[in-house]
Amino acid sequence: MDMDITRQLGLITRAVVHREHEGKPARSVVATRTYATDIDDVWDAITSRERLPRWFLPVTGELRLGGRYQLQGNAGGQILRCEQPHHLALTWEFAGGVSWVDVRLTKDPNGGTRLELEHLARVEDNDQFWNQFGPGAVGVGWDLSLLGLGEHLERGMQRPPNEAEFAGTEGGKGFIVGSSDAWGRASVAFGTDQAAAAAATAATTAFYTGTGPGGGDCQGSG
């Protein structure tokens, strides 16, 4: 995948925010990117059984409001909202844990379609994981997914690259390192101590680049 790493990293805005979910404290990572296509095209790409494998993962299940889905080798869950073409919300169930993903599409005033993805987890459910990896644990994974969606929508990619192979390329590693660093900065802006954020960023980078224990994708851990 040939790409301008700096440009691709700059297309995504990142934030970490405090939330409350069902009366309990929660945290969210929020990633936003605009795509140079219309809203119906983006909606179809993120909800179509045929198109999801072209940039993300194969999916099975009942892709309708209230239905359950399963991503191959990753999370499954229930579809909580399906308001075409603006709002998709679902549970993200992985390794016995539950978090929540909310995707909103709007027309960008400057053209194209703005996608905002929020991944929320309750503090009590993932505090130890958060302290070790910070927001980059899910943030880097979603950055990679938003990159893949862009390659599909804007360049016609029909199959996502193998993540391990991508991480082994100069461009892939550069994107992962830049993404992890960006989520580290978002964590500091959220209020995390700089030393703690730096340690979590290093752990996330090592995980995604395969240079640390259990190297690979930790997105499913939410």
Side-chain angles (χ1 to χ4, degrees):
M1 185 188 296
D2 295 327
M3 62 179 175
D4 180 333
I5 297 169
T6 301
R7 175 181 177 274
Q8 291 293 337
L9 289 168
L11 291 174
I12 303 170
T13 60
R14 304 164 183 84
V16 184
V17 295
H18 291 283
R19 293 284 191 238
E20 185 176 282
H21 185 78
E22 298 177 346
K24 296 181 179 181
R27 286 178 294 240
S28 285
V29 300
V30 184
T32 306
R33 175 172 166 171
T34 294
Y35 295 99
T37 187
D38 63 72
I39 195 169
D40 291 317
D41 188 29
V42 180
W43 177 266
D44 188 64
I46 68 172
T47 59
S48 163
R49 192 187 306 270
E50 289 72 34
R51 291 182 71 180
L52 277 165
R54 300 179 192 176
W55 64 272
F56 192 42
L57 290 168
V59 62
T60 57
E62 297 180 280
L63 305 188
R64 58 171 179 77
L65 181 63
R68 292 193 63 83
Y69 72 94
Q70 178 62 54
L71 293 165
Q72 183 175 297
N74 204 297
Q78 184 177 16
I79 298 172
L80 304 177
R81 287 183 177 272
C82 186
E83 300 168 5
Q84 183 178 356
H86 295 288
H87 190 192
L88 176 69
L90 42 87
T91 61
W92 189 265
E93 302 170 21
F94 183 84
V98 181
S99 52
W100 293 264
V101 172
D102 191 276
V103 180
R104 296 178 185 269
L105 303 180
T106 55
K107 292 183 179 179
D108 192 294
N110 298 315
T113 301
R114 181 176 183 268
L115 182 153
E116 179 183 273
L117 183 148
E118 177 171 349
H119 194 155
L120 177 148
R122 288 183 296 226
V123 171
E124 65 181 24
D125 293 339
N126 80 331
D127 213 36
Q128 182 177 353
F129 188 81
W130 180 276
N131 289 338
Q132 182 178 0
F133 293 104
V138 294
V140 173
W142 286 121
D143 280 6
L144 288 165
S145 298
L146 295 182
L147 171 65
L149 178 58
E151 292 298 297
H152 170 63
L153 289 171
E154 298 173 3
R155 297 178 61 181
M157 183 178 74
Q158 296 298 304
R159 191 176 78 174
N162 177 278
E163 187 170 294
E165 292 178 2
F166 181 64
T169 67
E170 182 178 354
K173 185 175 181 180
F175 183 87
I176 289 168
V177 170
S179 170
S180 184
D181 287 347
W183 282 109
R185 292 192 293 273
S187 186
V188 172
F190 172 71
T192 305
D193 172 80
Q194 287 195 1
T201 296
T204 293
T205 300
F207 197 98
Y208 274 96
T209 57
T211 60
D217 180 10
C218 52
Q219 179 175 305
S221 301

